[in-house]
Amino acid sequence: MDAWGKELVVELYTRYAPDVERLQRFDAFIPTIGKSYAGEERRLLYLMTRFIEPELIIEFSPKRGWTTLHMAAALEDNHKGRIISFELDPIYAALTKRTVKTARLAHRVEVVVGDVREEFPRVYGDPGTWRSAPEIGFLFVDSDHSAEFAHWYLGNLFPLVRQNGVIHAHDIEASPERVVNQEPLPLEPTGEEKVLAEHLVRHRDRYRWFSVADAVRDHAYLAAVRPWGGGDLSFPPGRVRLHPTEKRMGFERNPSLWILQTGAQESKTYPDRPFEPLHRTLKQRLAYETRKQIASFYAPLRERRRMRRQTSPRG
Ligand SMILES: C[S@@+](CC[C@H](N)C(=O)[O-])C[C@H]1O[C@@H](n2cnc3c(N)ncnc32)[C@H](O)[C@@H]1O
């Protein structure tokens, strides 16, 4: 694969501009579920999914399904592919199902409720659920931003990514080189960011990557994508009323890192590297099981309450 990074994205804009414009049909979801992936990130997620043309996307995690929606829409436009999406919170899982059903994309998505670290090996080991080659072509990561969690997916899932497979990691504010070189950064990197950056730089012979945070600071990139409907940022330069944290973040809310695995797939079996499971008392386990049972009818009620609170004069 030759083109990668900003050049590839510009090319994808020229190829798929009318389809990017059609993403506006999802704008009605924005007030309830679309706060992240609000600007360039949203279009890039769609474009890269078109480009990768995956048979299977492994997503963790969807929350209310905004990212799932954009990937599912791209799969639909590719006329192939499906998503297995892992969500810890049963209420969010139910809302994701509702989101994709409302958008008539439910046939592209299967939502698995539980801790991805426990559920993934079960799904990977079950040919009836996996129904694909024993490899990951597109891995979408946006869950727990701790170092421990990053160690789990680097040890267990990165080895399953096929050659020329793509990994998307959200909430990566700085490029890995800057993190590893301990350059002064506007925001302290998360544990996940540090562990991922060290892994990529240590194995730089096996990966290529590009940072959305860097792309949107590049005037040449913005000028190239604007004629095609791109370059509309979450926090455009010149917007005056920014929260101090947002000012420090740059121009995209929680930007992502796109990683191309150029090296060969390391393993076709789940590596089973250990992790510290979530500790729940018996009472907490029972409460979790109850949430799972009631999620499909309780989730819409809870969302309506949340929206009422947000729109009430005191809210
Ligand atoms: C930042 S949100 C994802 C947002 C979503 N991608 C979007 O843009 O709308 C992180 C989600 O990860 C889920 N999560 C955290 N730890 C998890 C785990 N171990 N397994 C599965 N899901 C997890 C949380 O419940 C939450 O819904």
Side-chain angles (χ1 to χ4, degrees):
M1 191 180 300
D2 293 332
W4 180 251
K6 288 179 274 191
E7 294 74 27
L8 170 65
V9 176
V10 174
E11 190 192 314
L12 294 176
Y13 264 113
T14 61
R15 217 189 288 172
Y16 298 118
D19 297 334
V20 168
E21 203 179 330
R22 284 178 52 243
L23 291 179
Q24 284 173 10
R25 68 193 186 280
F26 300 139
D27 284 1
F29 288 97
I30 290 176
T32 42
I33 67 170
K35 201 168 173 193
S36 70
Y37 289 83
E40 195 65 358
E41 282 279 303
R42 171 187 181 194
R43 292 179 294 274
L44 269 174
L45 184 57
Y46 172 85
L47 287 171
M48 289 296 285
T49 311
R50 289 299 302 270
F51 167 69
I52 301 162
E53 292 191 90
E55 292 290 341
L56 175 64
I57 300 176
I58 295 302
E59 176 184 40
F60 51 92
S61 299
K63 200 166 183 177
R64 297 183 175 86
W66 179 239
T67 44
T68 324
L69 184 63
H70 286 78
M71 291 188 284
L75 296 182
E76 189 69 4
D77 294 343
N78 285 343
H79 306 291
K80 66 170 187 176
R82 65 200 174 97
I83 304 172
I84 303 181
S85 187
F86 295 85
E87 175 52 62
L88 182 62
D89 184 325
I91 306 293
Y92 287 151
L95 290 171
T96 295
K97 286 185 198 161
R98 203 166 71 123
T99 300
V100 291
K101 190 171 170 208
T102 308
R104 297 173 195 272
L105 290 166
H107 55 289
R108 297 274 169 203
V109 183
E110 185 177 336
V111 181
V112 178
V113 186
D115 185 338
V116 61
R117 298 170 303 172
E118 287 170 347
E119 298 301 323
F120 179 86
R122 193 181 56 69
V123 167
Y124 189 63
D126 173 9
T129 313
W130 190 266
R131 303 202 312 271
S132 295
E135 59 184 30
I136 300 177
F138 182 12
L139 179 64
F140 175 97
V141 181
D142 179 18
S143 286
D144 170 333
H145 300 305
S146 67
E148 293 73 21
F149 190 78
H151 281 301
W152 170 77
Y153 69 69
L154 288 173
N156 287 307
L157 299 200
F158 271 42
L160 302 177
V161 176
R162 69 165 162 76
Q163 189 160 32
N164 289 326
V166 171
I167 302 145
H168 168 98
H170 195 44
D171 294 300
I172 305 294
E173 302 285 340
S175 58
E177 299 86 340
R178 297 187 69 199
V179 174
V180 167
N181 293 338
Q182 299 187 346
E183 288 180 27
L185 297 168
L187 277 183
E188 172 64 16
T190 61
E192 177 186 32
E193 250 184 297
K194 287 183 194 159
V195 170
L196 178 61
E198 277 158 23
H199 179 88
L200 292 175
V201 171
R202 192 167 349 113
H203 300 287
R204 52 160 41 107
D205 52 323
R206 305 191 31 218
Y207 301 106
R208 293 171 79 186
W209 56 80
F210 72 91
S211 145
V212 177
D214 286 348
V216 298
R217 287 185 172 90
D218 177 349
H219 293 292
Y221 167 82
L222 293 176
V225 297
R226 279 199 175 122
W228 306 102
D232 175 18
L233 307 179
S234 306
F235 307 124
R239 207 185 95 174
V240 276
R241 295 189 58 199
L242 283 180
H243 185 274
T245 318
E246 295 173 344
K247 266 191 197 148
R248 287 189 291 140
M249 273 176 172
F251 304 134
E252 278 296 272
R253 185 186 288 277
N254 310 39
S256 303
L257 191 68
W258 285 94
I259 305 161
L260 173 69
Q261 160 131 351
T262 54
Q265 182 174 347
E266 277 180 82
S267 173
K268 293 220 185 271
T269 53
Y270 182 72
D272 216 0
R273 306 247 161 80
F275 63 92
E276 190 64 37
L278 295 174
H279 291 294
R280 291 195 184 109
T281 61
L282 179 63
K283 198 171 155 201
Q284 286 166 331
R285 282 208 297 275
L286 285 172
Y288 188 74
E289 285 309 314
T290 309
R291 269 168 90 80
K292 267 175 144 173
Q293 297 303 322
I294 64 168
S296 60
F297 62 86
Y298 176 61
L301 299 177
R302 201 186 72 166
E303 278 306 276
R304 269 205 293 278
R305 237 185 18 230
R306 186 175 77 97
M307 285 313 288
R308 264 206 307 273
R309 269 204 309 272
Q310 275 181 8
T311 51
S312 79
R314 284 189 303 149

